[in-house]
Amino acid sequence: HSSSILSPSLFAKENLNRMSEQQLNLYDRLINEPSNDWDIYYWATEAKPTPAEFENDVMAMLREFAKNKKREQRLRQPDLEYLFEPPR
């Protein structure tokens, strides 16, 4: 998927276990139906208005998630360990 801020797997990990069956169905539609992942990113970050068929409580959760993730990214320095080879 398009953005590290809005990683669907991270969103899923944090949210799926507390979603209702109806919300899970909406989430499934949201990640599978739009032809372009960037659309989901734009809707979630409110760069573009969400189309009516995807405007639901799951989209609202995704928007909140995106806001929180942006805040976390600003506060946290990136991990640099991966840049260095471990000593042999």
mmCIF file with all atom_site columns, all heavy atoms in Angstrom, residues 33-58:
data_model
loop_
_atom_site.group_PDB
_atom_site.id
_atom_site.type_symbol
_atom_site.label_atom_id
_atom_site.label_alt_id
_atom_site.label_comp_id
_atom_site.label_asym_id
_atom_site.label_entity_id
_atom_site.label_seq_id
_atom_site.pdbx_PDB_ins_code
_atom_site.Cartn_x
_atom_site.Cartn_y
_atom_site.Cartn_z
_atom_site.occupancy
_atom_site.B_iso_or_equiv
_atom_site.pdbx_formal_charge
_atom_site.auth_seq_id
_atom_site.auth_comp_id
_atom_site.auth_asym_id
_atom_site.auth_atom_id
_atom_site.pdbx_PDB_model_num
ATOM 1   N N   . GLU A 1 33 ? -12.058 -2.487 -2.884 1.00 0.00 ? 33 GLU A N   1
ATOM 2   C CA  . GLU A 1 33 ? -12.823 -1.937 -4.010 1.00 0.00 ? 33 GLU A CA  1
ATOM 3   C C   . GLU A 1 33 ? -12.176 -0.772 -4.745 1.00 0.00 ? 33 GLU A C   1
ATOM 4   O O   . GLU A 1 33 ? -12.152 -0.774 -5.956 1.00 0.00 ? 33 GLU A O   1
ATOM 5   C CB  . GLU A 1 33 ? -14.245 -1.569 -3.575 1.00 0.00 ? 33 GLU A CB  1
ATOM 6   C CG  . GLU A 1 33 ? -15.127 -2.801 -3.514 1.00 0.00 ? 33 GLU A CG  1
ATOM 7   C CD  . GLU A 1 33 ? -16.596 -2.485 -3.303 1.00 0.00 ? 33 GLU A CD  1
ATOM 8   O OE1 . GLU A 1 33 ? -17.022 -1.359 -3.618 1.00 0.00 ? 33 GLU A OE1 1
ATOM 9   O OE2 . GLU A 1 33 ? -17.318 -3.360 -2.814 1.00 0.00 ? 33 GLU A OE2 1
ATOM 10  N N   . PRO A 1 34 ? -11.666 0.244  -4.041 1.00 0.00 ? 34 PRO A N   1
ATOM 11  C CA  . PRO A 1 34 ? -11.079 1.347  -4.827 1.00 0.00 ? 34 PRO A CA  1
ATOM 12  C C   . PRO A 1 34 ? -9.920  0.818  -5.664 1.00 0.00 ? 34 PRO A C   1
ATOM 13  O O   . PRO A 1 34 ? -9.139  -0.003 -5.202 1.00 0.00 ? 34 PRO A O   1
ATOM 14  C CB  . PRO A 1 34 ? -10.573 2.323  -3.755 1.00 0.00 ? 34 PRO A CB  1
ATOM 15  C CG  . PRO A 1 34 ? -11.343 1.987  -2.528 1.00 0.00 ? 34 PRO A CG  1
ATOM 16  C CD  . PRO A 1 34 ? -11.600 0.502  -2.605 1.00 0.00 ? 34 PRO A CD  1
ATOM 17  N N   . SER A 1 35 ? -9.829  1.287  -6.914 1.00 0.00 ? 35 SER A N   1
ATOM 18  C CA  . SER A 1 35 ? -8.809  0.748  -7.813 1.00 0.00 ? 35 SER A CA  1
ATOM 19  C C   . SER A 1 35 ? -7.432  1.306  -7.479 1.00 0.00 ? 35 SER A C   1
ATOM 20  O O   . SER A 1 35 ? -6.424  0.753  -7.875 1.00 0.00 ? 35 SER A O   1
ATOM 21  C CB  . SER A 1 35 ? -9.172  1.072  -9.261 1.00 0.00 ? 35 SER A CB  1
ATOM 22  O OG  . SER A 1 35 ? -9.336  2.469  -9.388 1.00 0.00 ? 35 SER A OG  1
ATOM 23  N N   . ASN A 1 36 ? -7.396  2.395  -6.750 1.00 0.00 ? 36 ASN A N   1
ATOM 24  C CA  . ASN A 1 36 ? -6.125  3.043  -6.474 1.00 0.00 ? 36 ASN A CA  1
ATOM 25  C C   . ASN A 1 36 ? -5.933  3.222  -4.971 1.00 0.00 ? 36 ASN A C   1
ATOM 26  O O   . ASN A 1 36 ? -6.733  3.881  -4.314 1.00 0.00 ? 36 ASN A O   1
ATOM 27  C CB  . ASN A 1 36 ? -6.127  4.402  -7.176 1.00 0.00 ? 36 ASN A CB  1
ATOM 28  C CG  . ASN A 1 36 ? -4.770  5.083  -7.122 1.00 0.00 ? 36 ASN A CG  1
ATOM 29  O OD1 . ASN A 1 36 ? -3.916  4.722  -6.316 1.00 0.00 ? 36 ASN A OD1 1
ATOM 30  N ND2 . ASN A 1 36 ? -4.584  6.059  -7.975 1.00 0.00 ? 36 ASN A ND2 1
ATOM 31  N N   . ASP A 1 37 ? -4.863  2.653  -4.437 1.00 0.00 ? 37 ASP A N   1
ATOM 32  C CA  . ASP A 1 37 ? -4.572  2.793  -3.004 1.00 0.00 ? 37 ASP A CA  1
ATOM 33  C C   . ASP A 1 37 ? -4.411  4.247  -2.581 1.00 0.00 ? 37 ASP A C   1
ATOM 34  O O   . ASP A 1 37 ? -4.694  4.605  -1.445 1.00 0.00 ? 37 ASP A O   1
ATOM 35  C CB  . ASP A 1 37 ? -3.282  2.053  -2.642 1.00 0.00 ? 37 ASP A CB  1
ATOM 36  C CG  . ASP A 1 37 ? -3.462  0.548  -2.657 1.00 0.00 ? 37 ASP A CG  1
ATOM 37  O OD1 . ASP A 1 37 ? -4.613  0.104  -2.730 1.00 0.00 ? 37 ASP A OD1 1
ATOM 38  O OD2 . ASP A 1 37 ? -2.451  -0.159 -2.586 1.00 0.00 ? 37 ASP A OD2 1
ATOM 39  N N   . TRP A 1 38 ? -3.899  5.074  -3.513 1.00 0.00 ? 38 TRP A N   1
ATOM 40  C CA  . TRP A 1 38 ? -3.713  6.480  -3.169 1.00 0.00 ? 38 TRP A CA  1
ATOM 41  C C   . TRP A 1 38 ? -5.044  7.138  -2.819 1.00 0.00 ? 38 TRP A C   1
ATOM 42  O O   . TRP A 1 38 ? -5.075  8.060  -1.998 1.00 0.00 ? 38 TRP A O   1
ATOM 43  C CB  . TRP A 1 38 ? -3.027  7.239  -4.302 1.00 0.00 ? 38 TRP A CB  1
ATOM 44  C CG  . TRP A 1 38 ? -1.552  7.011  -4.288 1.00 0.00 ? 38 TRP A CG  1
ATOM 45  C CD1 . TRP A 1 38 ? -0.822  6.241  -5.152 1.00 0.00 ? 38 TRP A CD1 1
ATOM 46  C CD2 . TRP A 1 38 ? -0.616  7.541  -3.341 1.00 0.00 ? 38 TRP A CD2 1
ATOM 47  N NE1 . TRP A 1 38 ? 0.515   6.271  -4.797 1.00 0.00 ? 38 TRP A NE1 1
ATOM 48  C CE2 . TRP A 1 38 ? 0.666   7.059  -3.697 1.00 0.00 ? 38 TRP A CE2 1
ATOM 49  C CE3 . TRP A 1 38 ? -0.733  8.374  -2.222 1.00 0.00 ? 38 TRP A CE3 1
ATOM 50  C CZ2 . TRP A 1 38 ? 1.817   7.386  -2.981 1.00 0.00 ? 38 TRP A CZ2 1
ATOM 51  C CZ3 . TRP A 1 38 ? 0.415   8.699  -1.506 1.00 0.00 ? 38 TRP A CZ3 1
ATOM 52  C CH2 . TRP A 1 38 ? 1.663   8.213  -1.889 1.00 0.00 ? 38 TRP A CH2 1
ATOM 53  N N   . ASP A 1 39 ? -6.124  6.690  -3.447 1.00 0.00 ? 39 ASP A N   1
ATOM 54  C CA  . ASP A 1 39 ? -7.445  7.253  -3.120 1.00 0.00 ? 39 ASP A CA  1
ATOM 55  C C   . ASP A 1 39 ? -7.735  7.099  -1.633 1.00 0.00 ? 39 ASP A C   1
ATOM 56  O O   . ASP A 1 39 ? -8.146  8.052  -0.973 1.00 0.00 ? 39 ASP A O   1
ATOM 57  C CB  . ASP A 1 39 ? -8.555  6.569  -3.922 1.00 0.00 ? 39 ASP A CB  1
ATOM 58  C CG  . ASP A 1 39 ? -8.534  6.973  -5.388 1.00 0.00 ? 39 ASP A CG  1
ATOM 59  O OD1 . ASP A 1 39 ? -7.979  8.052  -5.704 1.00 0.00 ? 39 ASP A OD1 1
ATOM 60  O OD2 . ASP A 1 39 ? -9.071  6.221  -6.210 1.00 0.00 ? 39 ASP A OD2 1
ATOM 61  N N   . ILE A 1 40 ? -7.496  5.902  -1.100 1.00 0.00 ? 40 ILE A N   1
ATOM 62  C CA  . ILE A 1 40 ? -7.751  5.643  0.319  1.00 0.00 ? 40 ILE A CA  1
ATOM 63  C C   . ILE A 1 40 ? -6.885  6.570  1.170  1.00 0.00 ? 40 ILE A C   1
ATOM 64  O O   . ILE A 1 40 ? -7.339  7.150  2.155  1.00 0.00 ? 40 ILE A O   1
ATOM 65  C CB  . ILE A 1 40 ? -7.460  4.168  0.677  1.00 0.00 ? 40 ILE A CB  1
ATOM 66  C CG1 . ILE A 1 40 ? -8.313  3.230  -0.187 1.00 0.00 ? 40 ILE A CG1 1
ATOM 67  C CG2 . ILE A 1 40 ? -7.718  3.920  2.164  1.00 0.00 ? 40 ILE A CG2 1
ATOM 68  C CD1 . ILE A 1 40 ? -7.915  1.771  -0.096 1.00 0.00 ? 40 ILE A CD1 1
ATOM 69  N N   . TYR A 1 41 ? -5.630  6.719  0.763  1.00 0.00 ? 41 TYR A N   1
ATOM 70  C CA  . TYR A 1 41 ? -4.710  7.606  1.484  1.00 0.00 ? 41 TYR A CA  1
ATOM 71  C C   . TYR A 1 41 ? -5.234  9.042  1.493  1.00 0.00 ? 41 TYR A C   1
ATOM 72  O O   . TYR A 1 41 ? -5.276  9.701  2.532  1.00 0.00 ? 41 TYR A O   1
ATOM 73  C CB  . TYR A 1 41 ? -3.325  7.538  0.849  1.00 0.00 ? 41 TYR A CB  1
ATOM 74  C CG  . TYR A 1 41 ? -2.359  8.524  1.448  1.00 0.00 ? 41 TYR A CG  1
ATOM 75  C CD1 . TYR A 1 41 ? -1.769  8.281  2.685  1.00 0.00 ? 41 TYR A CD1 1
ATOM 76  C CD2 . TYR A 1 41 ? -2.049  9.713  0.795  1.00 0.00 ? 41 TYR A CD2 1
ATOM 77  C CE1 . TYR A 1 41 ? -0.888  9.186  3.253  1.00 0.00 ? 41 TYR A CE1 1
ATOM 78  C CE2 . TYR A 1 41 ? -1.167  10.624 1.355  1.00 0.00 ? 41 TYR A CE2 1
ATOM 79  C CZ  . TYR A 1 41 ? -0.597  10.361 2.584  1.00 0.00 ? 41 TYR A CZ  1
ATOM 80  O OH  . TYR A 1 41 ? 0.260   11.266 3.139  1.00 0.00 ? 41 TYR A OH  1
ATOM 81  N N   . TYR A 1 42 ? -5.656  9.530  0.322  1.00 0.00 ? 42 TYR A N   1
ATOM 82  C CA  . TYR A 1 42 ? -6.162  10.903 0.227  1.00 0.00 ? 42 TYR A CA  1
ATOM 83  C C   . TYR A 1 42 ? -7.418  11.112 1.055  1.00 0.00 ? 42 TYR A C   1
ATOM 84  O O   . TYR A 1 42 ? -7.581  12.142 1.705  1.00 0.00 ? 42 TYR A O   1
ATOM 85  C CB  . TYR A 1 42 ? -6.434  11.285 -1.233 1.00 0.00 ? 42 TYR A CB  1
ATOM 86  C CG  . TYR A 1 42 ? -5.200  11.395 -2.093 1.00 0.00 ? 42 TYR A CG  1
ATOM 87  C CD1 . TYR A 1 42 ? -5.186  10.902 -3.392 1.00 0.00 ? 42 TYR A CD1 1
ATOM 88  C CD2 . TYR A 1 42 ? -4.033  11.999 -1.607 1.00 0.00 ? 42 TYR A CD2 1
ATOM 89  C CE1 . TYR A 1 42 ? -4.052  11.002 -4.192 1.00 0.00 ? 42 TYR A CE1 1
ATOM 90  C CE2 . TYR A 1 42 ? -2.891  12.094 -2.405 1.00 0.00 ? 42 TYR A CE2 1
ATOM 91  C CZ  . TYR A 1 42 ? -2.916  11.596 -3.686 1.00 0.00 ? 42 TYR A CZ  1
ATOM 92  O OH  . TYR A 1 42 ? -1.796  11.688 -4.471 1.00 0.00 ? 42 TYR A OH  1
ATOM 93  N N   . TRP A 1 43 ? -8.307  10.117 1.045  1.00 0.00 ? 43 TRP A N   1
ATOM 94  C CA  . TRP A 1 43 ? -9.539  10.248 1.839  1.00 0.00 ? 43 TRP A CA  1
ATOM 95  C C   . TRP A 1 43 ? -9.209  10.260 3.324  1.00 0.00 ? 43 TRP A C   1
ATOM 96  O O   . TRP A 1 43 ? -9.744  11.056 4.083  1.00 0.00 ? 43 TRP A O   1
ATOM 97  C CB  . TRP A 1 43 ? -10.516 9.111  1.546  1.00 0.00 ? 43 TRP A CB  1
ATOM 98  C CG  . TRP A 1 43 ? -10.878 8.955  0.100  1.00 0.00 ? 43 TRP A CG  1
ATOM 99  C CD1 . TRP A 1 43 ? -10.864 9.926  -0.870 1.00 0.00 ? 43 TRP A CD1 1
ATOM 100 C CD2 . TRP A 1 43 ? -11.303 7.754  -0.563 1.00 0.00 ? 43 TRP A CD2 1
ATOM 101 N NE1 . TRP A 1 43 ? -11.236 9.394  -2.085 1.00 0.00 ? 43 TRP A NE1 1
ATOM 102 C CE2 . TRP A 1 43 ? -11.520 8.077  -1.925 1.00 0.00 ? 43 TRP A CE2 1
ATOM 103 C CE3 . TRP A 1 43 ? -11.517 6.443  -0.130 1.00 0.00 ? 43 TRP A CE3 1
ATOM 104 C CZ2 . TRP A 1 43 ? -11.953 7.131  -2.855 1.00 0.00 ? 43 TRP A CZ2 1
ATOM 105 C CZ3 . TRP A 1 43 ? -11.944 5.504  -1.063 1.00 0.00 ? 43 TRP A CZ3 1
ATOM 106 C CH2 . TRP A 1 43 ? -12.157 5.845  -2.409 1.00 0.00 ? 43 TRP A CH2 1
ATOM 107 N N   . ALA A 1 44 ? -8.321  9.350  3.728  1.00 0.00 ? 44 ALA A N   1
ATOM 108 C CA  . ALA A 1 44 ? -8.000  9.216  5.151  1.00 0.00 ? 44 ALA A CA  1
ATOM 109 C C   . ALA A 1 44 ? -7.272  10.442 5.689  1.00 0.00 ? 44 ALA A C   1
ATOM 110 O O   . ALA A 1 44 ? -7.450  10.813 6.846  1.00 0.00 ? 44 ALA A O   1
ATOM 111 C CB  . ALA A 1 44 ? -7.162  7.963  5.388  1.00 0.00 ? 44 ALA A CB  1
ATOM 112 N N   . THR A 1 45 ? -6.460  11.073 4.835  1.00 0.00 ? 45 THR A N   1
ATOM 113 C CA  . THR A 1 45 ? -5.725  12.256 5.284  1.00 0.00 ? 45 THR A CA  1
ATOM 114 C C   . THR A 1 45 ? -6.499  13.531 4.963  1.00 0.00 ? 45 THR A C   1
ATOM 115 O O   . THR A 1 45 ? -6.004  14.633 5.176  1.00 0.00 ? 45 THR A O   1
ATOM 116 C CB  . THR A 1 45 ? -4.332  12.317 4.612  1.00 0.00 ? 45 THR A CB  1
ATOM 117 O OG1 . THR A 1 45 ? -4.498  12.273 3.197  1.00 0.00 ? 45 THR A OG1 1
ATOM 118 C CG2 . THR A 1 45 ? -3.451  11.169 5.075  1.00 0.00 ? 45 THR A CG2 1
ATOM 119 N N   . GLU A 1 46 ? -7.712  13.349 4.418  1.00 0.00 ? 46 GLU A N   1
ATOM 120 C CA  . GLU A 1 46 ? -8.616  14.458 4.083  1.00 0.00 ? 46 GLU A CA  1
ATOM 121 C C   . GLU A 1 46 ? -8.044  15.384 3.010  1.00 0.00 ? 46 GLU A C   1
ATOM 122 O O   . GLU A 1 46 ? -8.391  16.552 2.936  1.00 0.00 ? 46 GLU A O   1
ATOM 123 C CB  . GLU A 1 46 ? -9.015  15.236 5.344  1.00 0.00 ? 46 GLU A CB  1
ATOM 124 C CG  . GLU A 1 46 ? -9.752  14.332 6.335  1.00 0.00 ? 46 GLU A CG  1
ATOM 125 C CD  . GLU A 1 46 ? -10.161 15.042 7.625  1.00 0.00 ? 46 GLU A CD  1
ATOM 126 O OE1 . GLU A 1 46 ? -11.253 15.630 7.641  1.00 0.00 ? 46 GLU A OE1 1
ATOM 127 O OE2 . GLU A 1 46 ? -9.368  15.010 8.586  1.00 0.00 ? 46 GLU A OE2 1
ATOM 128 N N   . ALA A 1 47 ? -7.151  14.849 2.199  1.00 0.00 ? 47 ALA A N   1
ATOM 129 C CA  . ALA A 1 47 ? -6.657  15.611 1.051  1.00 0.00 ? 47 ALA A CA  1
ATOM 130 C C   . ALA A 1 47 ? -7.742  15.687 -0.028 1.00 0.00 ? 47 ALA A C   1
ATOM 131 O O   . ALA A 1 47 ? -7.807  16.629 -0.800 1.00 0.00 ? 47 ALA A O   1
ATOM 132 C CB  . ALA A 1 47 ? -5.397  14.963 0.485  1.00 0.00 ? 47 ALA A CB  1
ATOM 133 N N   . LYS A 1 48 ? -8.596  14.663 -0.055 1.00 0.00 ? 48 LYS A N   1
ATOM 134 C CA  . LYS A 1 48 ? -9.731  14.634 -0.988 1.00 0.00 ? 48 LYS A CA  1
ATOM 135 C C   . LYS A 1 48 ? -10.958 14.187 -0.212 1.00 0.00 ? 48 LYS A C   1
ATOM 136 O O   . LYS A 1 48 ? -10.845 13.398 0.724  1.00 0.00 ? 48 LYS A O   1
ATOM 137 C CB  . LYS A 1 48 ? -9.490  13.613 -2.114 1.00 0.00 ? 48 LYS A CB  1
ATOM 138 C CG  . LYS A 1 48 ? -8.425  14.002 -3.105 1.00 0.00 ? 48 LYS A CG  1
ATOM 139 C CD  . LYS A 1 48 ? -8.338  12.933 -4.191 1.00 0.00 ? 48 LYS A CD  1
ATOM 140 C CE  . LYS A 1 48 ? -7.302  13.294 -5.243 1.00 0.00 ? 48 LYS A CE  1
ATOM 141 N NZ  . LYS A 1 48 ? -7.150  12.214 -6.236 1.00 0.00 ? 48 LYS A NZ  1
ATOM 142 N N   . PRO A 1 49 ? -12.147 14.664 -0.618 1.00 0.00 ? 49 PRO A N   1
ATOM 143 C CA  . PRO A 1 49 ? -13.364 14.194 0.063  1.00 0.00 ? 49 PRO A CA  1
ATOM 144 C C   . PRO A 1 49 ? -13.622 12.711 -0.214 1.00 0.00 ? 49 PRO A C   1
ATOM 145 O O   . PRO A 1 49 ? -13.371 12.234 -1.315 1.00 0.00 ? 49 PRO A O   1
ATOM 146 C CB  . PRO A 1 49 ? -14.481 15.061 -0.530 1.00 0.00 ? 49 PRO A CB  1
ATOM 147 C CG  . PRO A 1 49 ? -13.928 15.627 -1.795 1.00 0.00 ? 49 PRO A CG  1
ATOM 148 C CD  . PRO A 1 49 ? -12.425 15.642 -1.676 1.00 0.00 ? 49 PRO A CD  1
ATOM 149 N N   . THR A 1 50 ? -14.087 12.011 0.793  1.00 0.00 ? 50 THR A N   1
ATOM 150 C CA  . THR A 1 50 ? -14.411 10.599 0.643  1.00 0.00 ? 50 THR A CA  1
ATOM 151 C C   . THR A 1 50 ? -15.740 10.456 -0.108 1.00 0.00 ? 50 THR A C   1
ATOM 152 O O   . THR A 1 50 ? -16.706 11.117 0.240  1.00 0.00 ? 50 THR A O   1
ATOM 153 C CB  . THR A 1 50 ? -14.559 9.948  2.033  1.00 0.00 ? 50 THR A CB  1
ATOM 154 O OG1 . THR A 1 50 ? -13.360 10.184 2.774  1.00 0.00 ? 50 THR A OG1 1
ATOM 155 C CG2 . THR A 1 50 ? -14.797 8.446  1.924  1.00 0.00 ? 50 THR A CG2 1
ATOM 156 N N   . PRO A 1 51 ? -15.794 9.605  -1.133 1.00 0.00 ? 51 PRO A N   1
ATOM 157 C CA  . PRO A 1 51 ? -17.067 9.363  -1.826 1.00 0.00 ? 51 PRO A CA  1
ATOM 158 C C   . PRO A 1 51 ? -18.103 8.793  -0.858 1.00 0.00 ? 51 PRO A C   1
ATOM 159 O O   . PRO A 1 51 ? -17.746 8.077  0.081  1.00 0.00 ? 51 PRO A O   1
ATOM 160 C CB  . PRO A 1 51 ? -16.715 8.329  -2.896 1.00 0.00 ? 51 PRO A CB  1
ATOM 161 C CG  . PRO A 1 51 ? -15.229 8.312  -2.984 1.00 0.00 ? 51 PRO A CG  1
ATOM 162 C CD  . PRO A 1 51 ? -14.698 8.815  -1.688 1.00 0.00 ? 51 PRO A CD  1
ATOM 163 N N   . ALA A 1 52 ? -19.355 9.111  -1.109 1.00 0.00 ? 52 ALA A N   1
ATOM 164 C CA  . ALA A 1 52 ? -20.441 8.716  -0.211 1.00 0.00 ? 52 ALA A CA  1
ATOM 165 C C   . ALA A 1 52 ? -20.446 7.220  0.099  1.00 0.00 ? 52 ALA A C   1
ATOM 166 O O   . ALA A 1 52 ? -20.673 6.822  1.237  1.00 0.00 ? 52 ALA A O   1
ATOM 167 C CB  . ALA A 1 52 ? -21.788 9.137  -0.811 1.00 0.00 ? 52 ALA A CB  1
ATOM 168 N N   . GLU A 1 53 ? -20.130 6.372  -0.910 1.00 0.00 ? 53 GLU A N   1
ATOM 169 C CA  . GLU A 1 53 ? -20.220 4.922  -0.650 1.00 0.00 ? 53 GLU A CA  1
ATOM 170 C C   . GLU A 1 53 ? -19.153 4.426  0.321  1.00 0.00 ? 53 GLU A C   1
ATOM 171 O O   . GLU A 1 53 ? -19.275 3.343  0.859  1.00 0.00 ? 53 GLU A O   1
ATOM 172 C CB  . GLU A 1 53 ? -20.211 4.106  -1.942 1.00 0.00 ? 53 GLU A CB  1
ATOM 173 C CG  . GLU A 1 53 ? -18.877 4.023  -2.641 1.00 0.00 ? 53 GLU A CG  1
ATOM 174 C CD  . GLU A 1 53 ? -18.774 4.966  -3.839 1.00 0.00 ? 53 GLU A CD  1
ATOM 175 O OE1 . GLU A 1 53 ? -19.345 6.074  -3.795 1.00 0.00 ? 53 GLU A OE1 1
ATOM 176 O OE2 . GLU A 1 53 ? -18.112 4.576  -4.824 1.00 0.00 ? 53 GLU A OE2 1
ATOM 177 N N   . PHE A 1 54 ? -18.104 5.228  0.538  1.00 0.00 ? 54 PHE A N   1
ATOM 178 C CA  . PHE A 1 54 ? -17.066 4.828  1.491  1.00 0.00 ? 54 PHE A CA  1
ATOM 179 C C   . PHE A 1 54 ? -17.077 5.686  2.753  1.00 0.00 ? 54 PHE A C   1
ATOM 180 O O   . PHE A 1 54 ? -16.215 5.533  3.616  1.00 0.00 ? 54 PHE A O   1
ATOM 181 C CB  . PHE A 1 54 ? -15.683 4.872  0.839  1.00 0.00 ? 54 PHE A CB  1
ATOM 182 C CG  . PHE A 1 54 ? -15.529 3.869  -0.276 1.00 0.00 ? 54 PHE A CG  1
ATOM 183 C CD1 . PHE A 1 54 ? -15.373 4.279  -1.583 1.00 0.00 ? 54 PHE A CD1 1
ATOM 184 C CD2 . PHE A 1 54 ? -15.569 2.506  -0.009 1.00 0.00 ? 54 PHE A CD2 1
ATOM 185 C CE1 . PHE A 1 54 ? -15.240 3.359  -2.610 1.00 0.00 ? 54 PHE A CE1 1
ATOM 186 C CE2 . PHE A 1 54 ? -15.445 1.573  -1.024 1.00 0.00 ? 54 PHE A CE2 1
ATOM 187 C CZ  . PHE A 1 54 ? -15.283 2.003  -2.323 1.00 0.00 ? 54 PHE A CZ  1
ATOM 188 N N   . GLU A 1 55 ? -18.030 6.592  2.843  1.00 0.00 ? 55 GLU A N   1
ATOM 189 C CA  . GLU A 1 55 ? -18.095 7.464  4.018  1.00 0.00 ? 55 GLU A CA  1
ATOM 190 C C   . GLU A 1 55 ? -18.883 6.745  5.110  1.00 0.00 ? 55 GLU A C   1
ATOM 191 O O   . GLU A 1 55 ? -20.098 6.718  5.107  1.00 0.00 ? 55 GLU A O   1
ATOM 192 C CB  . GLU A 1 55 ? -18.764 8.800  3.641  1.00 0.00 ? 55 GLU A CB  1
ATOM 193 C CG  . GLU A 1 55 ? -18.734 9.838  4.738  1.00 0.00 ? 55 GLU A CG  1
ATOM 194 C CD  . GLU A 1 55 ? -17.340 10.024 5.343  1.00 0.00 ? 55 GLU A CD  1
ATOM 195 O OE1 . GLU A 1 55 ? -16.471 10.615 4.692  1.00 0.00 ? 55 GLU A OE1 1
ATOM 196 O OE2 . GLU A 1 55 ? -17.132 9.564  6.481  1.00 0.00 ? 55 GLU A OE2 1
ATOM 197 N N   . ASN A 1 56 ? -18.161 6.119  6.033  1.00 0.00 ? 56 ASN A N   1
ATOM 198 C CA  . ASN A 1 56 ? -18.802 5.362  7.102  1.00 0.00 ? 56 ASN A CA  1
ATOM 199 C C   . ASN A 1 56 ? -17.915 5.408  8.342  1.00 0.00 ? 56 ASN A C   1
ATOM 200 O O   . ASN A 1 56 ? -16.887 6.084  8.348  1.00 0.00 ? 56 ASN A O   1
ATOM 201 C CB  . ASN A 1 56 ? -19.075 3.921  6.635  1.00 0.00 ? 56 ASN A CB  1
ATOM 202 C CG  . ASN A 1 56 ? -17.824 3.257  6.072  1.00 0.00 ? 56 ASN A CG  1
ATOM 203 O OD1 . ASN A 1 56 ? -16.780 3.240  6.718  1.00 0.00 ? 56 ASN A OD1 1
ATOM 204 N ND2 . ASN A 1 56 ? -17.923 2.709  4.864  1.00 0.00 ? 56 ASN A ND2 1
ATOM 205 N N   . ASP A 1 57 ? -18.304 4.697  9.377  1.00 0.00 ? 57 ASP A N   1
ATOM 206 C CA  . ASP A 1 57 ? -17.538 4.783  10.629 1.00 0.00 ? 57 ASP A CA  1
ATOM 207 C C   . ASP A 1 57 ? -16.131 4.194  10.505 1.00 0.00 ? 57 ASP A C   1
ATOM 208 O O   . ASP A 1 57 ? -15.214 4.612  11.194 1.00 0.00 ? 57 ASP A O   1
ATOM 209 C CB  . ASP A 1 57 ? -18.310 4.188  11.820 1.00 0.00 ? 57 ASP A CB  1
ATOM 210 C CG  . ASP A 1 57 ? -18.786 2.758  11.577 1.00 0.00 ? 57 ASP A CG  1
ATOM 211 O OD1 . ASP A 1 57 ? -18.861 2.344  10.406 1.00 0.00 ? 57 ASP A OD1 1
ATOM 212 O OD2 . ASP A 1 57 ? -19.104 2.079  12.559 1.00 0.00 ? 57 ASP A OD2 1
ATOM 213 N N   . VAL A 1 58 ? -15.944 3.239  9.585  1.00 0.00 ? 58 VAL A N   1
ATOM 214 C CA  . VAL A 1 58 ? -14.600 2.680  9.383  1.00 0.00 ? 58 VAL A CA  1
ATOM 215 C C   . VAL A 1 58 ? -13.687 3.741  8.756  1.00 0.00 ? 58 VAL A C   1
ATOM 216 O O   . VAL A 1 58 ? -12.534 3.895  9.151  1.00 0.00 ? 58 VAL A O   1
ATOM 217 C CB  . VAL A 1 58 ? -14.644 1.399  8.518  1.00 0.00 ? 58 VAL A CB  1
ATOM 218 C CG1 . VAL A 1 58 ? -13.246 0.915  8.177  1.00 0.00 ? 58 VAL A CG1 1
ATOM 219 C CG2 . VAL A 1 58 ? -15.419 0.316  9.255  1.00 0.00 ? 58 VAL A CG2 1
#
